[in-house]
Amino acid sequence: MSERKGISYEIQYTKAADKFFKTHEEVRAQYEDAIKELLVGDHPEKVDVKRIKGKRGDYYRIRLGNYRVVYALINGKVIVVSTILGGSRGDVYKKIDGLK
């Protein structure tokens, strides 16, 4: 769990996201840096984030080069970032429709 500026957050990974990040450790590092910048950094506008349209309106994606990482925020005392999927641009949007 990380904390700065009075905001605590924790990053959790689904099985699918963890599987992707095991083979793409450099993308995991970029993703964790992007989440840190987004939540507690001085320049969150530098992170390329968009809300996913449609049925998955509570999901967001971060663009990291040719990869996209889909996540959701769960609020409370601690912000939990639930990482849903990771993959190449075309694959992530196709897989997201198959999520429950």
Side-chain angles (χ1 to χ4, degrees), residues 56-74:
R56 303 292 180 188
D58 54 340
Y59 288 0
Y60 298 86
R61 71 98 176 119
I62 290 181
R63 185 177 75 110
L64 302 168
N66 290 330
Y67 296 103
R68 306 296 185 267
V69 179
V70 178
Y71 69 96
L73 296 175
I74 303 167

Side-chain angles (χ1 to χ4, degrees), residues 2-3 5 12-13 17-18 26 29 40 43 49-50 53 58-59 69-70 84 86-87 98-99:
S2 299
E3 185 172 344
K5 292 184 181 181
Q12 297 177 347
Y13 297 93
D18 199 40
E26 72 285 352
V40 297
H43 300 285
V49 174
K50 289 189 180 177
K53 297 177 182 177
D58 54 340
Y59 288 0
V69 179
V70 178
I84 313 298
L99 292 176

Side-chain angles (χ1 to χ4, degrees), residues 67-99:
Y67 296 103
R68 306 296 185 267
V69 179
V70 178
Y71 69 96
L73 296 175
I74 303 167
N75 288 318
K77 286 185 179 181
V78 175
I79 297 174
V80 177
V81 181
S82 179
T83 309
I84 313 298
L85 281 173
S88 66
R89 182 177 62 107
D91 291 342
V92 166
Y93 299 117
K94 290 175 188 172
K95 289 178 184 176
I96 203 165
D97 290 332
L99 292 176

